[in-house]
Amino acid sequence: MELTSNQTHPAFPTLLSGAVHQESEQTRSQAYTTGRKTVGTPFVDKPRMTCRDVEVYYGEKCAINKISIDVGCNEVLAMIGPSGCGKSTFLRCLNRMNDTVPSCRVVGSICLDETDIYHPSVDVVPLRAQVGMVFQKPNPFPKSIYDNVAYGPRIHGLTKNKVELDEIVETSLIKAGLWEEVKDRLLEPGTGLSGGQQQRLCIARAIAVSPEVILMDEPCSALDPIATARVEELIAELRTQFSIVIVTHAMQQAARVSQRTAYFHLGDLIEVGATDKIFTNPKHRLTEDYITGRFG
Amino acid sequence: MHTTMETPATTTNLLHPSKRLRQRYRAERWFKRLGLLAIVLSLAFIAFLFFSIFSDGYTAFKQSYIALDVNFAAEEFTQAKLAHANFPGLVKKAMHSMFPEVDSRRGKKELESLVSPSAAYKLQDMVEEDPKIIGTTQKVWVLAGDDVDMLLKGKIDRKEKQSNRRLKDNQLAWIDRLISDKKLEQKFNWNFFTAGDSREPELAGIWGAVKGSFLTLLITLTLSFPIGVASAVYLEEFAPENKWTDLIEININNLAAVPSIIFGLLGLAIFINFWGLPRSTPIVGGLVLSLMTLPTIIIAGRASLKSVPPSIREAALGVGASKMQTVIHHVLPLAMPGMLTGTIIGMAQALGETAPLLMIGMVAFIVDIPGSITDPAAVLPVQIYLWADSPERAFTEKTSAAIMILLTFLVFMNSLAVYLRKKFETKW
């Protein structure tokens, strides 16, 4: 079953009616936030992903407490906050990577293009093709560079022949800014590349299946400043085609690459807003304390 | 601050270590020596073991042959069938013709005993292969008796009193004459590598046991490898974590420590008595050894699956691979070297296993070379056990030679395991 952006699966109705979108922003944030109140602008017009009252439990422990936030089209949403605040957990809910953790339980609704991704009849395989993920540590498969990028299209049967596959591999590597560096050695192992190249290879692998949203979990924390700058440039370019959600510990990075920033604190979403506003004029005291370095 | 800097004690320490430091170094040296001593001791034991096996066994690769001038006289072959001809008589006549001076009945008996009873079969084979030799006289090298062979290999002491010796003085004299006439020689013992077991040590060979072992291990491998890998993958990748899987895990770990003879009893009860499979055959042996090898393979397989970094699984799941694809495309290939190593170690263990096979009748004396998995067969370790138990002096060297062959196979399999691990090891 393939989910596409413009169609809703007939088997399950849209959970959010149009009426909800017409409500004022004020009432919505009040209606959905019963934990610590989120300030700022968590909702956008024409969202790609909508998360409402999301709670995540590891066993009995509540890791995320009633979070509601939208991911807009063609924007980079940065999630910042101290360690253990739940931002990675939340990120991994967006493509159901938390399914692999047996004790993890997700409550609330997360919709991709108005389809609830936690609906029992949603298949995680096409979901993860639409919501790709790039991890903290570069993790290319111990296979050739070509096979790394071609793996996704192959298992999803996106191509009919070798020529099409070659084309996808090439365009993905070009989009990831890696083509010039590796075009002469596509058959060499991906694990032989440098750390920054490996991470861009992982990005190429994620975009090869043409997702709508790319989740990045601290993609630059294992990279040196030059490789980091290269990946940040790449993120800025990718924004024109994809929605990107990025978790980062480097606030400078969030300020550089993102349009909107969300601040998490101990499982609560404290503040969401346009990046320049969050960093220059935070509304919430906790946000201010964090970005000015008073803790965290 | 200034006053403490002036104390000179700290500077002298560098050139003259304190007593305490010297004691530490002494303890370190002792510890090193102790370790070295342990290694040297164990190497010495291994060297002694190898030396003992080799010095006992290398003579088994040579065998004594006597040259006979056999007269295939036409009047001997008057019977309807060639097989009915008196071939032992031919051998005896040939021996008598070499020593015409021996005329007493007892002397003739002693003379005849220098040749192996197999000589008659050899002559029969020759005649059946080429009947044209009837009426001619041929020079034939036939096997000498095992006592002659032992004498030539220095295992019978000539200085011993005659009554304590297997060979009498007159036999010694004949043997010396045969040697000086170049009619008694040691040749390479091809027979050892091509024949099955025999009651006559000079005829006994290892091939039956080697083939039996091969067929048994073939069954073991084809059963235990796929089942073991599948179990390991299921338990490690798919099984839910609950008390049932815990119970299974504990039991598998316990099974690995169960004495192997218990598996033999189980095999006897189920495979032979209940299923009615034929006794003493590679199929039953293979089944029993599979039971024994499975825990080893499953444990090794799970360990190597665990050692595959979780980032690879996440990467595959992240691009939308299903659980199955993640395992088959990424996890299993990376875990395979470890699994293969575990399997080969398990197989080497199975190759050397005797006890469970005794329970299912593989200890039987079997002369024929097994042709299929349902033929009665011996295996290498059981063959060693059987030969070590035989009273004839000549079986001692056969036992050592069989041990050498078993060890060769084990070393080969272990080197294969090391080679595979090195070859498929993935560099990160």
Side-chain angles (χ1 to χ4, degrees), chain A residues 92 95 97 100 125 128-129 131-133 135 139-143 151-152 155-156 191 205-206 209, chain B residues 241 310-323 325-326 329-330 333-334 426-428:
Chain A
R92 291 166 64 93
N95 69 346
M97 282 301 276
T100 56
V125 168
R128 287 184 189 143
V131 185
M133 189 150 188
F135 297 86
N139 56 356
F141 300 129
K143 298 175 186 247
Y151 182 69
I155 58 170
H156 294 296
T191 42
R205 183 176 65 193
V209 290
Chain B
E241 277 179 36
S311 64
I312 292 297
R313 292 187 181 81
E314 288 192 328
L317 291 174
V319 292
S322 65
K323 186 88 196 169
Q325 286 169 325
T326 305
H329 295 166
H330 301 287
L334 291 174
T426 317
K427 306 271 187 300
W428 301 102

Side-chain angles (χ1 to χ4, degrees), chain B residues 56-68:
Chain B
D56 268 350
Y58 80 99
T59 48
F61 298 114
K62 288 213 160 179
Q63 197 67 39
S64 304
Y65 287 82
I66 295 179
L68 295 181

Side-chain angles (χ1 to χ4, degrees), chain B residues 337 340-341 344-345 412-422:
Chain B
L340 286 178
T341 312
I344 293 171
I345 301 289
F412 172 74
M413 287 172 81
N414 283 324
S415 332
L416 190 71
V418 172
Y419 170 76
L420 284 174
R421 195 167 50 209
K422 286 262 179 292

Side-chain angles (χ1 to χ4, degrees), chain B residues 64-117:
Chain B
S64 304
Y65 287 82
I66 295 179
L68 295 181
D69 290 316
V70 183
N71 179 19
F72 293 95
E75 63 266 24
E76 298 278 358
F77 296 96
T78 48
Q79 291 89 343
K81 279 187 177 171
L82 282 178
H84 294 163
N86 183 12
F87 291 103
L90 288 180
V91 176
K92 285 175 188 166
K93 274 184 192 158
M95 283 302 281
H96 298 160
S97 68
M98 270 197 288
F99 298 96
E101 72 277 12
V102 181
D103 47 9
S104 71
R105 195 178 151 75
R106 185 164 173 189
K108 282 184 172 172
K109 275 267 179 224
E110 284 169 356
L111 183 61
E112 286 153 14
S113 75
L114 296 184
V115 184
S116 161

Side-chain angles (χ1 to χ4, degrees), chain B residues 80-240:
Chain B
K81 279 187 177 171
L82 282 178
H84 294 163
N86 183 12
F87 291 103
L90 288 180
V91 176
K92 285 175 188 166
K93 274 184 192 158
M95 283 302 281
H96 298 160
S97 68
M98 270 197 288
F99 298 96
E101 72 277 12
V102 181
D103 47 9
S104 71
R105 195 178 151 75
R106 185 164 173 189
K108 282 184 172 172
K109 275 267 179 224
E110 284 169 356
L111 183 61
E112 286 153 14
S113 75
L114 296 184
V115 184
S116 161
S118 71
Y121 301 114
K122 169 134 189 193
L123 297 188
Q124 185 179 342
D125 287 348
M126 282 174 69
V127 174
E128 279 174 356
E129 198 176 296
D130 184 12
K132 276 187 287 225
I133 59 172
I134 294 171
T136 61
T137 301
Q138 302 276 335
K139 189 181 182 188
V140 185
W141 284 96
V142 298
L143 277 167
D146 56 327
D147 290 331
V148 178
D149 190 46
M150 287 295 98
L151 180 79
L152 260 62
K153 288 168 179 169
K155 306 263 166 80
I156 290 181
D157 190 2
R158 284 168 183 260
K159 294 189 191 88
E160 193 82 28
K161 264 200 330 213
Q162 182 171 230
S163 55
N164 288 354
R165 231 191 284 129
R166 298 272 301 167
L167 292 168
K168 306 286 170 254
D169 286 342
N170 53 349
Q171 288 176 308
L172 290 183
W174 295 329
I175 290 168
D176 289 339
R177 226 177 87 195
L178 281 171
I179 295 172
S180 60
D181 289 351
K182 297 213 183 316
K183 289 191 166 174
L184 176 53
E185 281 179 11
Q186 290 193 48
K187 297 183 174 187
F188 187 76
N189 190 4
W190 286 112
N191 184 57
F192 184 67
F193 296 100
T194 54
D197 197 7
S198 169
R199 292 281 185 227
E200 306 292 338
E202 69 271 19
L203 281 178
I206 198 78
W207 181 239
V210 168
K211 205 163 171 204
S213 266
F214 174 76
L215 291 171
T216 308
L217 284 191
L218 198 69
I219 299 283
T220 310
L221 183 68
T222 46
L223 281 174
S224 61
F225 183 65
I227 296 178
V229 169
S231 317
V233 166
Y234 176 76
L235 287 173
E236 202 54 49
E237 302 287 333
F238 293 99

Side-chain angles (χ1 to χ4, degrees), chain A residues 198-216:
Chain A
Q198 286 189 15
Q199 194 61 299
R200 278 181 281 147
L201 179 62
C202 293
I203 294 175
R205 183 176 65 193
I207 58 186
V209 290
S210 34
E212 298 176 28
V213 182
I214 302 176
L215 309 176
M216 297 186 175

